[in-house]
Amino acid sequence: MTDVSSDWRMYVCGITPYDATHLGHAATYLNFDLINRYQKLRGATVHFSENITDIDDPLLERANRDGQEWKTLADDQIDLFARDMQGLRVLPPEHFVPVTETIPQLISALEALVAKGYTYKIDGDLYFKITPFLDSLPLALEDALKIFSERGGDPDRIGKENPLDPLLWLANRPGEPGWPSSLGHGRPGWHIECSVIALMTLVGEDYLSLHEKRAASLDLQGGGSDLIFPHHFMSAALGKALVGIDFASAYIHTGMVGLDGEKMSKSKGNLVFVSKLLAQGIDPMALRYALINSNFNEDRMWSKVILEDAEIKVANLRSTLSKVEVFTGSNFLNHLLLKYSHGLDTKGALEILEKWALANLLSEELAIEELSKLDIGEISNASPGEISRFIDSLFGLAL
Ligand code: ZN
């Protein structure tokens, strides 16, 4: 393992609270929970921040459609999300920040961008000049334009300097919430909120005047693979425009979850929700096992069979851990940790754990024979307590 720096800063893009928490959300936050747990096991002091996009077009549209007050819808969904995460044993972020509670800081950041000459206005809406950052565009310009318009952008608006320029501040529309500011009465755009919340929580409220020499503001910026563009590209450009250094040293994007061979999406109406599964009595640890048993960047499928398989694996682990004594290897726990650390190979690490649990359900002679094949050091008897605590620390499985 590489050296452990004492402070390690992770920012993960949070939910827009109107359809929480489907399995795609859950898989994403579980993957970052594994990274959080791994960094803690390495001895790092993890600073973990996550936003809540509690003011955004999809939320306002849903509230409007359902005749509900947008703030009530957001608050209910945030509570539901927090309960789901607790059920799945996701360690809560140190900072869990709703955008609507950071409006003054967002306005200050926008004023700084205006002062630096990075902005222009069209009919009261404030835009960011993305052109100086296009060298790091993560995809072809033609694809970028297409995806930008599919994910909330407005490439065709007359008057834009560059079609990819993102909105920073929307002038107030009738019937929509807004806040007074030197930029006019309005509300923030999507991308700037993450740049500002990440910087103020993980670098410091005075980030605009800090001149600390470091490679990047954050150690890790994370989210689902649907955030690579435009969201992470835009928030990184904005973060760099604000403080002059790279926004994050590393980016991790998690795969999407499909259902029975199809993409899971709002438009197909086939979203599966964590709260519904838990209400049906599904064991949260089996659900957690099923969702982490793939590598982070793979798109994966969800099905009843996958859940049933996880239930069996969790039952085997519980049977082994409930024994008075188990067989283990002198290097077993380190082997699990190393396996995970190589490319965040959760699947590989869980496979070893499963083989260990199954071997321990055999006769003594066969157990030793099977465990000797695992390259986990000298086999000996042990109490399962330490292994149980380790499984909880690394995988978040309380069994
Ligand atoms: Zn974000």
Side-chain angles (χ1 to χ4, degrees):
M1 272 179 273
T2 51
D3 63 315
V4 180
S5 67
S6 57
D7 289 296
W8 192 82
R9 300 168 176 86
M10 171 166 83
Y11 182 83
V12 178
C13 288
I15 54 159
T16 300
Y18 71 103
D19 67 349
T21 311
H22 60 67
L23 295 186
H25 292 137
T28 292
Y29 299 111
L30 283 168
N31 271 299
F32 291 104
D33 185 53
L34 292 172
I35 293 171
N36 186 5
R37 288 167 180 276
Y38 170 69
Q39 290 293 347
K40 287 188 161 112
L41 271 173
R42 290 175 72 219
T45 304
V46 178
H47 302 283
F48 169 23
S49 176
E50 186 176 315
N51 69 308
I52 306 165
T53 307
D54 62 343
I55 181 78
D56 199 14
D57 291 339
L59 169 70
L60 296 174
E61 283 160 16
R62 174 66 63 94
N64 217 8
R65 187 198 78 180
D66 297 349
Q68 205 176 1
E69 218 267 310
W70 66 275
K71 190 77 182 126
T72 313
L73 171 64
D75 289 347
D76 289 352
Q77 291 284 311
I78 293 166
D79 286 349
L80 182 61
F81 175 73
R83 279 202 302 278
D84 289 344
M85 292 297 104
Q86 201 177 14
L88 292 173
R89 300 195 79 249
V90 172
L91 299 173
E94 181 184 349
H95 309 276
F96 188 44
V97 187
V99 176
T100 54
E101 288 177 19
T102 59
I103 301 292
Q105 292 94 331
L106 278 163
I107 292 168
S108 302
L110 294 179
E111 286 168 346
L113 290 174
V114 172
K116 286 169 186 257
Y118 277 115
T119 65
Y120 63 96
K121 272 189 172 183
I122 304 175
D123 294 337
D125 294 334
L126 188 71
Y127 281 88
F128 177 67
K129 298 176 179 178
I130 196 66
T131 307
F133 302 91
L134 288 181
D135 285 351
S136 49
L137 195 66
L139 68 179
L141 185 61
E142 194 185 329
D143 298 330
L145 285 166
K146 187 168 169 284
I147 296 175
F148 187 60
S149 82
E150 286 165 5
R151 296 187 184 154
D154 54 356
D156 301 324
R157 184 165 186 189
I158 307 289
K160 287 185 77 171
E161 291 184 12
N162 187 310
L164 290 178
D165 290 341
L167 257 173
L168 294 173
W169 185 258
L170 288 79
N172 196 236
R173 270 71 164 164
E176 281 193 0
W179 289 264
S181 81
S182 62
L183 313 156
H185 196 79
R187 63 181 169 97
W190 176 27
H191 312 300
I192 186 67
E193 67 178 69
C194 281
S195 319
V196 172
I197 292 174
L199 290 168
M200 59 181 259
T201 54
L202 298 177
V203 176
E205 287 273 352
D206 54 350
Y207 68 89
L208 279 170
S209 54
L210 276 182
H211 299 287
E212 191 188 332
K213 289 257 182 288
R214 61 162 90 156
S217 297
L218 320 176
D219 294 292
L220 178 68
Q221 154 80 311
S225 60
D226 54 342
L227 296 186
I228 295 173
F229 185 84
H231 185 54
H232 281 181
F233 168 73
M234 297 297 182
S235 46
L238 290 162
K240 192 164 186 178
L242 283 166
V243 295
I245 57 170
D246 282 348
F247 187 56
S249 313
Y251 290 81
I252 284 189
H253 296 107
T254 55
M256 299 285 109
V257 178
L259 175 69
D260 297 326
E262 279 205 309
K263 193 172 181 274
M264 202 185 278
S265 70
K266 275 189 290 290
S267 54
K268 285 194 193 305
N270 62 353
L271 294 176
V272 178
F273 293 92
V274 170
S275 52
K276 286 205 177 136
L277 291 174
L278 296 180
Q280 286 164 18
I282 302 294
D283 173 4
M285 290 302 96
L287 185 51
R288 181 173 173 110
Y289 195 113
L291 287 168
I292 65 175
N293 193 18
S294 338
N295 285 345
F296 72 94
N297 53 355
E298 292 172 345
D299 288 338
R300 74 286 300 266
M301 278 298 148
W302 179 256
S303 69
K304 207 164 173 282
V305 175
I306 289 171
L307 179 61
E308 284 165 358
D309 180 58
E311 284 170 334
I312 293 167
K313 286 170 174 161
V314 164
N316 289 338
L317 272 168
R318 284 203 177 107
S319 301
T320 292
L321 291 170
S322 64
K323 293 169 77 146
V324 178
E325 275 202 325
V326 290
F327 290 105
T328 186
S330 53
N331 195 31
F332 177 48
L333 301 183
N334 202 31
H335 191 69
L336 284 175
L337 195 61
L338 277 175
K339 189 75 188 166
Y340 175 73
S341 73
H342 288 167
L344 310 180
D345 185 5
T346 325
K347 202 171 171 176
L350 285 175
E351 254 171 40
I352 297 166
L353 186 63
E354 187 196 349
K355 284 181 182 165
W356 170 81
L358 283 173
N360 268 288
L361 296 173
L362 301 169
S363 69
E364 181 174 334
E365 196 185 332
L366 283 173
I368 292 171
E369 190 185 323
E370 287 302 309
L371 292 172
S372 304
K373 296 175 189 167
L374 291 183
D375 190 26
I376 55 173
E378 202 176 317
I379 309 300
S380 63
N381 285 50
S383 135
E386 191 196 352
I387 299 170
S388 178
R389 284 193 295 280
F390 183 84
I391 293 171
D392 188 8
S393 302
L394 180 60
F395 298 111
L397 293 165
L399 302 169

